[in-house]
Amino acid sequence: MCGIVAAVSNKNIVPFLIDGLLRLEYRGYDSAGLAVINEKLNRVRNSGRVSELSEKVSSLNMRSHLGIAHTRWATHGAALERNAHPHISRDGLALVHNGIIENHELLRRELINQGYEFTSDTDSEVIAHLIHKHFENTPDLLTAVRYTVSELVGAFALAVISEQSKNRIILARRGAPLLIGLGNDEVYCASDSSALLKRTKRMIFMEDGDLAEVTVDGPTFFDANGTTVERDIYESELSSDQVELGQFDHYMQKEIFEQPGALAATLEMVTGSNAITPELFGTEAPSILKTIDSITIIACGTSYHSGLTAKYWLEELAQLPVFVEIASEYRYRKPIVNPNTLIVVISQSGETADTIAALEYAKRLGQEKTLSICNVPESSIIRGTKLKFLTRAGPEIGVASTKAFTTQLGSLYLLTLVIAKLKGKLNEDLENSLLTGLRHLPAALNLVLNMEPKIIHWAKSIAKKHNALFLGRGIHYPIALEGALKLKEISYIHAEGYPAGELKHGPLALVDGDTPVVAVAPNDLLLEKLKSNLSEVRARGGELYVFADADSNLDETEGLHIMKMTEHLGHLSPILHSIPLQLLAYHVALVKGTDVDKPRNLAKSVTVE
């Protein structure tokens, strides 16, 4: 959600600013802009794509050694050029901002009374004028920014430049990610490492509450009181090739096909072993996990669906009660507090604002046994928990999550096995059997990907519809929810996921010839129950699209389309069945001609509430 890039160098940094914005497009945005300083501040903005901004910048032949740039996802104010960043104040001061300022209305009124004129509807312009006000009373831009952020309520990542301080960028971070990349005689700043990988792998991640002064000689970090602090340099394991499309048409397609490798990497530490160990989740895992008597999983969106799936595994195999919470709801209610509950937070980016806030809320309530499952090693969520597990999915650029979801499921299954073993619920024979299934999972996913041609045929029919229902039973109900979410995210077809047994309690009223019903039908104990639910759909003229196992006794008839999976993987079946639903959504979106990787109104990393 929104993207920041900035740089200071002895060379022209404008090409980097444009390239950085292009690499952050996946985060979601509706306008873009940049500002550079030579003798004077120069700013260019537009509503629309970065490519259009690039054309404007080229026509002006802009060059500079210092500048900031931004892609905006509209929150306060419509997606218009006047609301695009950077925002400016008097005397050539400019800033870019990610986040939301909750007290902006009060600050705006005060600044208007002091003679400042506003040209946008955003909360961000307030910050620019407030910095200018403090800058007039202190000769130091860093001090002015420090005074300003002390007055702000909300979340922010800021990059500030000024004509009055031409050789430095001031950064500030609270609740929104911001990092620095170290080059040769140049320093880069961004909200996401993908913007920097083409230039450098040496990165510093700002801590919450940090300020930084960045010059061509490097960054200097300060805490909220202005005291100098040290921050570690990390060598990123990612490469710029990992964020390139390669042979694929879209990032979503690429990421769907990367799932066998992503899961193999995520499970690498156990697939080559004869046993599982709790230390997979951290050195304190044995002592913490032995003492828990319940689990609360907190997440949003697709990550929430992975938690719903894990509830079935954990309750069956580890025999612990599990509660799955939507982060934005959990943080505003008064849950029953149990200090022996394991709090599990799940996030692809590790910067999901609601999930971070829910984690902090749980800790304030006295629930200190915390575990994060995340794809980004230096993220806020990883740093905020005692235990952690990295999903080694690699960069996920497409807004609609695919490989992040399946690697989260793989990680949660590992967690299930570890807790079950610690609780004495997993004997050696069962452990070996379950590990064998895990080792086979990447190969099984490769076989599922071969189903794509038939899925393309189904997509052509479903793309003509305006509504769809997704059905599942038991552990496959969350997979139906995820399938419906994928379809609506990228094709804009209204879709809902339901437990199949709930059909007769309301959703059956929606079923007719224009509402396709997609069912996940593995050959498990609930298959016969599901068959009767499917019969209810056919009796009312509904068109059924069923993903079944190879040994399921289901045959195609008119209005009943069957696609049989290669095999049944028992507990791991939900992971297997996720893949065709992702492919279905992708190909329906292609038929409809939507922007698959950057669907309207959505952002990849939701860093504001």
Side-chain angles (χ1 to χ4, degrees):
M1 182 174 283
C2 300
I4 288 174
V5 292
V8 56
S9 172
N10 291 324
K11 298 176 285 188
N12 178 29
I13 50 82
V14 173
F16 163 75
L17 296 180
I18 294 295
D19 181 67
L21 292 184
L22 288 168
R23 292 174 182 273
L24 294 182
E25 283 190 303
Y26 77 95
R27 294 172 67 93
Y29 73 105
D30 45 57
S31 60
L34 64 80
V36 299
I37 290 180
N38 292 306
E39 291 303 313
K40 293 290 184 181
L41 178 76
N42 293 296
R43 176 179 64 166
V44 181
R45 303 180 295 172
N46 67 270
S47 60
R49 292 303 183 192
V50 173
S51 58
E52 298 165 25
L53 178 72
S54 179
E55 291 175 3
K56 283 187 176 182
V57 169
S58 295
S59 68
L60 296 170
N61 195 28
M62 291 183 75
R63 298 177 61 84
S64 179
H65 72 287
L66 182 146
I68 56 178
H70 190 268
T71 52
R72 175 179 184 256
W73 191 83
T75 52
H76 297 78
L80 303 172
E81 183 175 317
R82 63 187 176 86
N83 291 325
H85 296 224
H87 289 289
I88 62 174
S89 189
R90 302 170 187 168
D91 302 322
L93 186 146
L95 69 73
V96 289
H97 164 227
N98 286 357
I100 287 180
I101 305 304
E102 296 174 11
N103 61 334
H104 72 99
E105 292 178 342
L106 173 62
L107 294 171
R108 179 184 284 253
R109 287 195 295 270
E110 292 175 352
L111 289 162
I112 289 173
N113 290 337
Q114 294 166 16
Y116 285 92
E117 294 183 8
F118 284 78
T119 60
S120 78
D121 306 312
T122 69
D123 55 336
S124 305
E125 190 179 3
V126 166
I127 311 172
H129 294 316
L130 193 57
I131 293 172
H132 179 269
K133 185 186 82 167
H134 288 299
F135 199 21
E136 285 192 314
N137 298 318
T138 174
D140 180 54
L141 182 60
L142 173 68
T143 303
V145 173
R146 182 163 64 86
Y147 289 164
T148 296
V149 299
S150 69
E151 297 185 47
L152 301 179
V153 177
F156 53 79
L158 303 175
V160 185
I161 58 175
S162 171
E163 290 177 4
Q164 313 305 311
S165 187
K166 294 179 179 177
N167 296 309
R168 60 181 179 159
I169 304 167
I170 305 300
L171 307 176
R173 185 216 162 174
R174 183 200 299 161
L178 198 58
L179 57 101
I180 294 168
L182 305 177
N184 297 320
D185 297 323
E186 49 198 355
V187 182
Y188 314 103
C189 317
S191 48
D192 190 315
S193 61
S194 61
L196 307 182
L197 288 171
K198 196 173 180 179
R199 302 295 181 110
T200 183
K201 289 188 174 185
R202 298 177 65 233
M203 300 180 189
I204 303 172
F205 293 81
M206 293 181 67
E207 299 284 345
D208 213 47
D210 277 358
L211 290 94
E213 179 182 64
V214 180
T215 69
V216 73
D217 296 320
T220 305
F221 296 92
F222 305 87
D223 64 17
N225 297 316
T227 304
T228 305
V229 291
E230 296 295 322
R231 294 291 176 248
D232 294 332
I233 299 173
Y234 294 88
E235 188 81 16
S236 176
E237 297 178 3
L238 302 176
S239 69
S240 59
D241 291 343
Q242 289 178 282
V243 293
E244 301 291 345
L245 266 176
Q247 63 180 336
F248 297 96
D249 295 324
H250 300 91
Y251 281 107
M252 183 177 180
Q253 181 190 32
K254 175 176 183 276
E255 288 152 14
I256 288 172
F257 278 83
E258 285 177 339
Q259 286 176 108
L263 267 162
T266 300
L267 303 172
E268 181 180 13
M269 289 180 286
V270 294
T271 52
S273 172
N274 292 323
I276 52 172
T277 59
E279 285 81 7
L280 291 167
F281 294 88
T283 55
E284 294 183 75
S287 59
I288 290 176
L289 296 180
K290 279 182 181 177
T291 61
I292 62 171
D293 56 23
S294 65
I295 299 169
T296 295
I297 299 174
I298 303 172
C300 303
T302 286
S303 297
Y304 172 70
H305 295 158
S306 72
L308 289 176
T309 307
K311 175 181 171 71
Y312 290 87
W313 288 328
L314 286 159
E315 291 191 340
E316 177 185 345
L317 294 172
Q319 296 179 29
L320 287 179
V322 178
F323 308 91
V324 187
E325 301 274 358
I326 296 172
S328 57
E329 294 295 319
Y330 178 84
R331 62 184 289 200
Y332 291 117
R333 67 179 188 83
K334 296 181 179 179
I336 295 172
V337 176
N338 175 5
N340 289 324
T341 291
L342 177 68
I343 300 294
V344 180
V345 287
I346 310 171
S347 168
Q348 188 279 136
S349 67
E351 303 295 346
T352 309
D354 283 318
T355 308
I356 293 171
L359 170 63
E360 295 306 314
Y361 178 52
K363 291 195 290 188
R364 288 199 303 273
L365 292 175
Q367 299 178 120
E368 293 291 336
K369 297 174 181 179
T370 56
L371 163 67
S372 55
I373 293 176
C374 180
N375 195 39
V376 181
E378 302 88 0
S379 62
S380 299
I381 280 177
I382 284 285
R383 294 198 303 270
T385 58
K386 288 187 176 179
L387 307 181
K388 53 212 69 181
F389 189 92
L390 283 173
T391 60
R392 301 183 182 277
E396 187 178 69
I397 306 299
V399 167
S401 180
T402 52
K403 62 178 179 175
F405 178 62
T406 50
T407 53
Q408 286 170 1
L409 289 176
S411 305
L412 288 162
Y413 190 69
L414 278 182
L415 177 65
T416 300
L417 300 188
V418 164
I419 295 174
K421 187 173 182 178
L422 285 172
K423 297 291 184 182
K425 309 298 183 184
L426 198 65
N427 61 45
E428 186 175 345
D429 288 343
L430 181 56
E431 180 181 356
N432 289 336
S433 173
L434 297 178
L435 281 175
T436 298
L438 274 178
R439 295 187 188 103
H440 178 62
L441 184 59
L445 292 185
N446 270 317
L447 293 175
V448 174
L449 290 168
N450 292 333
M451 298 166 61
E452 187 177 29
K454 191 170 183 180
I455 291 173
I456 293 172
H457 179 68
W458 281 12
K460 292 175 182 176
S461 298
I462 293 174
K464 300 172 185 176
K465 310 300 183 181
H466 297 94
N467 302 282
L469 292 175
F470 284 70
L471 304 180
R473 294 203 70 141
I475 197 170
H476 294 89
Y477 161 52
I479 303 307
L481 288 173
E482 177 63 12
L485 177 61
K486 285 291 153 285
L487 188 68
K488 65 182 124 185
E489 278 182 315
I490 62 171
S491 76
Y492 316 144
I493 292 174
H494 173 249
E496 298 297 334
Y498 280 96
E502 279 291 288
L503 265 181
K504 62 180 71 69
H505 297 286
L508 201 57
L510 299 174
V511 172
D512 58 23
D514 290 325
T515 303
V517 178
V518 180
V520 180
N523 190 12
D524 57 18
L525 294 175
L526 290 173
L527 179 60
E528 293 305 317
K529 296 287 187 184
L530 181 59
K531 285 180 181 178
S532 67
N533 303 136
L534 301 183
S535 296
E536 293 169 348
V537 172
R538 285 299 302 126
R540 286 149 182 86
E543 193 91 355
L544 277 161
Y545 297 84
V546 181
F547 291 100
D549 287 338
D551 55 356
S552 296
N553 186 23
L554 286 169
D555 297 306
E556 286 198 352
T557 61
E558 183 180 355
L560 174 58
H561 311 281
I562 306 290
M563 196 175 306
K564 294 197 174 182
M565 310 284 282
T566 53
E567 56 187 315
H568 179 61
L569 281 190
H571 288 116
L572 297 173
S573 175
I575 301 177
L576 212 60
H577 277 271
S578 300
I579 309 301
L581 297 182
Q582 295 169 358
L583 285 168
L584 182 65
Y586 172 72
H587 285 289
V588 170
L590 287 189
V591 174
K592 290 181 67 68
T594 62
D595 192 337
V596 173
D597 288 331
K598 298 184 284 292
R600 67 190 184 199
N601 304 332
L602 298 180
K604 180 64 176 173
S605 182
V606 184
T607 55
V608 298
E609 184 178 356

